[in-house]
Amino acid sequence: MTGQAGEALAPAFKESPYWWEAAPRPQEDPGPLPRSVDVAIVGSGVTGLNAAIPLVRAGRSVLLLEAGAAGEGASTLNAGFVGRTLKHSFGELVDKLGRDRAVIFYREVAAALDHVETIVKGEKLDCGFRRCGRFIGAPSTRAYDEIAREYDLRERHLGEPFAMVDQAAMSQEIASRAYVGGAVIPDLAAIEPGRYQLELLRVARDAGAAVAPNTAVTGITRAGDGFTVRTPRGSLEAREVLVATNGYTGSPFGWLRRRLIPFHGYMIATEELSADTVARALPSDRTYIDHRHNIRYLRRAPCGRRVLFGGQTGGPIRNLKAKAAELRRMLIEIVPDLSPARVSHAWTGRCAATFDLYPHLGRHDGIHYALGYSFAGVPMGSYLGRKAALTILGDPAGHTVFGEGSFPSFPFYTGHPWFVPLVMAYYDWQDRRA
Ligand SMILES: Cc1cc2nc3c(=O)[nH]c(=O)nc-3n(C[C@H](O)[C@H](O)[C@H](O)COP(=O)(O)OP(=O)(O)OC[C@H]3O[C@@H](n4cnc5c(N)ncnc54)[C@H](O)[C@@H]3O)c2cc1C
């Protein structure tokens, strides 16, 4: 590649996730399928695995069916930000649903973050989980005021800590002139997503769960008390089925597809820089995100010598090299000190939003599902995966506010999200105006 894009890329540039260097995807022979299981789980990301562990421990036989290599979906492709995020802000929910209902939603969002910490610590998962805090950058004074209002409300009603940071103090957080200040949420966390998924996989297998990689589910039909699950490698019987396919939900799950809006997320890693350069750029070593419609997010890599950056979510993808160059330009716009950095890795993964912007756990035609996390699936997928397992076990603790109410679709929508690039272009226009 020549020209601007070529100069942005390191000689060893790879179209491959940075996280897979430390946590390569297992290359395994799927082996023969069992004739029957108690629970078949479709998808081996954080949702599927967080469901599998309590199910096998309760004595159920569990098979995770995965179309690709184990954990090949977004669970190992994300930025590893573990926050308390819902697409609807707390202030918006208070206005719409009243204070008490808003608190119920946000208490569960907080429980999702705590669940990740509990499973990491309880199972001794070696995946770099740390409560490093998050800096939210405000690109304008209006954004600064919006952040202050939202987090003040959250502190008063939910007890969540935060501190506003003005422009003068911001240099202790990030070497950027892109923001007029921002907020620090000191107890939010980060994780290494590739290792988190691999560690969950290890625990699930040690507990007795089976995994069939390269085994795409092509159809599910009712059979007696349970279901027949079809794959190109044969069929099996399952008493219960959980669909945990989020942004990768395909045609075998038409009812869910009509309720999910899949979209792409994009990330890059810089080549190795000096540890000093990275520490000067991101001195507080938190996760960093900005308060825009189309967010940009960055963090240090665990080695402390690279920066990981994501943006242009939902945009179209034609050429990942050109996308990598564009993301690098955005990164340098935010942190000019990183201008010597070229891109060593670029990758993309799929997420899913829903029409009401809530994640959903539920059951349709007897088949359980947990999905629709809109970019917050590390905590919400982990949490709702566990809730789905408890529901299957008949445990009342499986109840969640994200399982209440209907799961809306949109007239004539078939699962082809042609409008996502238009919506994102509109968001970009709003961000530029702001
Ligand atoms: C670039 C990017 C950055 C992100 N950053 C963050 C972040 O910082 N924090 C955060 O909380 N969230 C983030 N997310 C979102 C998060 O990664 C997802 O919400 C989460 O991983 C969803 O997990 P999951 O287990 O439900 O689905 P996935 O991990 O996507 O797994 C679904 C699996 O189902 C499999 N599958 C699909 N169909 C079939 C079939 N028919 N048969 C068998 N298998 C099938 C797929 O192959 C896939 O492996 C990000 C996402 C992306 C793409």
Side-chain angles (χ1 to χ4, degrees):
M1 171 166 265
T2 55
Q4 236 186 348
E7 286 155 25
L9 307 182
F13 171 79
K14 288 183 186 173
E15 292 189 9
S16 170
Y18 167 75
W19 300 117
W20 291 8
E21 303 281 340
R25 292 304 90 208
Q27 298 304 320
E28 299 163 316
D29 181 359
L33 289 177
R35 286 179 52 170
S36 69
V37 288
D38 293 327
V39 187
I41 300 177
V42 192
S44 61
V46 295
T47 305
L49 290 167
N50 271 278
I53 294 168
L55 284 167
V56 275
R57 291 212 173 130
R60 304 296 188 273
S61 58
V62 172
L63 175 69
L64 290 132
L65 295 132
E66 169 54 55
E72 211 174 79
S75 292
T76 61
L77 306 172
N78 62 67
F81 289 26
V82 194
R84 286 183 288 258
T85 309
L86 198 58
K87 267 283 171 213
H88 299 282
S89 70
F90 182 67
E92 205 184 310
L93 287 192
V94 170
D95 289 347
K96 223 165 70 183
L97 308 175
R99 184 241 175 228
D100 292 354
R101 191 82 182 141
V103 166
I104 290 173
F105 276 100
Y106 266 83
R107 287 255 187 266
E108 285 214 46
V109 171
L113 164 60
D114 294 342
H115 165 69
V116 176
E117 181 164 40
T118 303
I119 192 159
V120 166
K121 291 194 172 152
E123 303 293 345
K124 299 190 173 44
L125 308 184
D126 182 10
C127 59
F129 178 91
R130 59 196 181 98
R131 294 257 188 183
C132 53
R134 181 178 300 181
F135 175 77
I136 305 172
S140 64
T141 46
R142 196 169 111 190
Y144 187 88
D145 293 343
E146 273 174 19
I147 297 171
R149 252 195 321 274
E150 165 75 3
Y151 283 93
D152 180 56
L153 260 187
R154 286 170 71 158
E155 187 181 55
R156 278 192 285 131
H157 295 287
L158 301 160
E160 293 179 6
F162 84 108
M164 293 306 290
V165 179
D166 63 19
Q167 201 163 26
M170 206 177 65
S171 59
Q172 289 163 27
E173 295 293 332
I174 181 168
S176 178
R177 289 174 178 275
Y179 307 121
V180 300
V184 168
I185 320 297
D187 62 338
L188 299 188
I191 209 162
E192 293 169 37
R195 292 170 71 203
Y196 176 48
Q197 190 277 344
L198 269 193
E199 285 284 85
L200 287 170
L201 184 64
R202 171 183 63 77
V203 171
R205 278 186 156 146
D206 287 354
V211 184
N214 305 316
T215 307
V217 171
T218 51
I220 300 173
T221 42
R222 269 195 184 276
D225 280 355
F227 300 89
T228 301
V229 178
R230 290 192 305 282
T231 82
R233 301 181 46 245
S235 300
L236 65 138
E237 306 300 311
R239 283 192 75 80
E240 305 273 9
V241 177
L242 169 64
V243 179
T245 50
N246 201 45
Y248 297 83
T249 305
S251 50
F253 313 106
W255 187 86
L256 288 169
R257 263 195 105 186
R258 288 193 292 280
R259 282 156 179 80
L260 291 169
I261 308 162
F263 60 91
H264 281 266
Y266 304 98
M267 287 199 71
I268 54 169
T270 68
E271 62 189 339
E272 282 200 350
L273 303 161
S274 80
D276 280 354
T277 303
V278 174
R280 269 199 310 275
L282 304 175
S284 58
D285 194 10
R286 304 188 193 278
T287 58
Y288 305 80
I289 196 163
D290 54 21
H291 184 76
R292 291 162 32 109
H293 289 93
N294 197 349
I295 53 160
R296 301 168 304 183
Y297 46 97
L298 61 154
R299 61 178 283 184
R300 294 190 201 179
C303 63
R305 300 194 53 186
R306 297 171 190 262
V307 172
L308 311 179
F309 177 79
Q312 293 219 327
T313 306
I317 173 72
R318 278 176 216 99
N319 175 339
L320 199 51
K321 286 196 174 90
K323 184 71 81 181
E326 178 60 12
L327 289 179
R328 174 179 174 272
R329 187 193 62 70
M330 293 168 84
L331 168 63
I332 292 167
E333 197 178 280
I334 298 171
V335 192
D337 289 356
L338 293 174
S339 57
R342 290 176 299 180
V343 179
S344 63
H345 298 70
W347 66 99
T348 178
R350 273 151 62 179
C351 305
T354 57
F355 286 99
D356 60 6
L357 301 180
Y358 293 106
H360 282 269
L361 174 141
R363 200 169 185 191
H364 176 73
D365 277 350
I367 297 174
H368 298 266
Y369 57 83
L371 27 68
Y373 312 119
S374 294
F375 237 57
V378 177
M380 289 311 297
S382 300
Y383 178 74
L384 291 187
R386 179 177 162 73
K387 288 280 184 189
L390 296 176
T391 304
I392 290 170
L393 293 170
D395 184 333
H399 178 266
T400 163
V401 70
F402 298 105
E404 295 173 1
S406 61
F407 191 173
S409 181
F410 201 77
F412 307 114
Y413 179 66
T414 56
H416 172 57
W418 55 270
F419 47 84
V420 168
L422 298 180
V423 172
M424 297 317 287
Y426 173 69
Y427 282 167
D428 279 338
W429 176 73
Q430 282 200 325
D431 287 335
R432 278 197 301 276
R433 266 184 51 194

